Every structure is written in C-alpha cells, then in structure tokens.
Amino acid sequence: QVQLVESGGGSVQAGGSLRLSCASSRPAYSPSTRCMGWFRQAPGKEREGVATINYDHSTTYADSVKGRFTISKDNDKNTLNLQLNSLKPEDTAMYYCAADRSFRCGLTVTDFADWGQGTQVTVAT
C-alpha cells in the first residue's frame, strides 16, 4: 500500500492559480506508483478524474481542465504535482491524489487502489 499526502490547497479568486503537491511513500519507479493521478469531488457530486500521469510521463486530462491544469512528477522527491491556472468557481472541490500499478492510467476512479486524504480548493467569484 502507498501512503499519499496532499498539500497546497486553499482559497483563491477566479482566474487565480494554485499548485497542489502529493508526497508518496514509494519511489516514482515503484510498480505501486506506476500510474498516479489527481481526482476531485465537489459537494453532492461524484468523484471525477482530473489528470493522470503514467510511468512514461504520458498524461491524460479531463476536457474541463485541458489547457488550464498541468500534472507532473518529481521523481527525485517522490512527489506528484498539479498546477492549476485560470481557476473557475466550478473547480471548487476536494482534490485527491491517487496511485495504482495499472498500465491503463485513465481517469476512472475505480481503477485506483491507493488514495490520499485530500486537500480543499475553493475558487471565489
């Protein structure tokens, strides 16, 4: 099992930026973290995929965040990052980091085995 700890959430005005980080207990080259991703859940809504990054650094983004969010991995620090730019009120949610040993690395919530506790992002109008 992989322990994941998110940080970097907060409150910003619409149009602002945030950078989320996720510290992993396993190295970036571990099979357990072959695929890592960011998901979010707004109140009253289902958890949804935001962005994922595979072992080969290939990425997948939800249409709603393409061109605004960027996912990246720092292998030296065992850290997953998410840069959030041009934030909108509809981006308000709890953001979760997740990891899995799958090669698929899509945006499907149920494909991921290990989850962090989440970090809150609130975007005001």
Side-chain angles (χ1 to χ4, degrees):
Q1 188 175 6
V2 182
Q3 276 71 52
L4 302 167
V5 180
E6 302 96 335
S7 61
S11 297
V12 296
Q13 296 291 319
S17 298
L18 283 172
R19 184 175 178 83
L20 307 183
S21 293
C22 171
S24 168
S25 63
R26 295 289 181 89
Y29 53 78
S30 167
S32 299
T33 55
R34 180 174 290 134
C35 171
M36 297 190 73
W38 288 97
F39 295 76
R40 67 186 181 186
Q41 187 167 16
K45 294 188 177 181
E46 293 187 354
R47 191 170 298 190
E48 63 177 2
V50 174
T52 60
I53 185 165
N54 212 337
Y55 67 98
D56 61 358
H57 290 261
S58 60
T59 56
T60 301
Y61 291 94
D63 288 343
S64 59
V65 306
K66 281 181 181 176
R68 300 189 299 123
F69 293 5
T70 302
I71 190 171
S72 62
K73 288 175 69 173
D74 185 332
N75 291 341
D76 291 337
K77 298 180 180 179
N78 298 342
T79 300
L80 178 72
N81 302 304
L82 185 69
Q83 180 67 39
L84 296 74
N85 296 330
S86 302
L87 282 161
K88 304 175 181 180
E90 52 262 44
D91 294 319
T92 294
M94 185 71 78
Y95 282 70
Y96 297 91
C97 173
D100 197 73
R101 57 183 63 236
S102 170
F103 284 100
R104 283 194 302 271
C105 214
L107 296 172
T108 303
V109 171
T110 52
D111 284 349
F112 285 78
D114 296 301
W115 294 83
Q117 295 299 306
T119 185
Q120 179 69 36
V121 171
T122 302
V123 185
T125 55

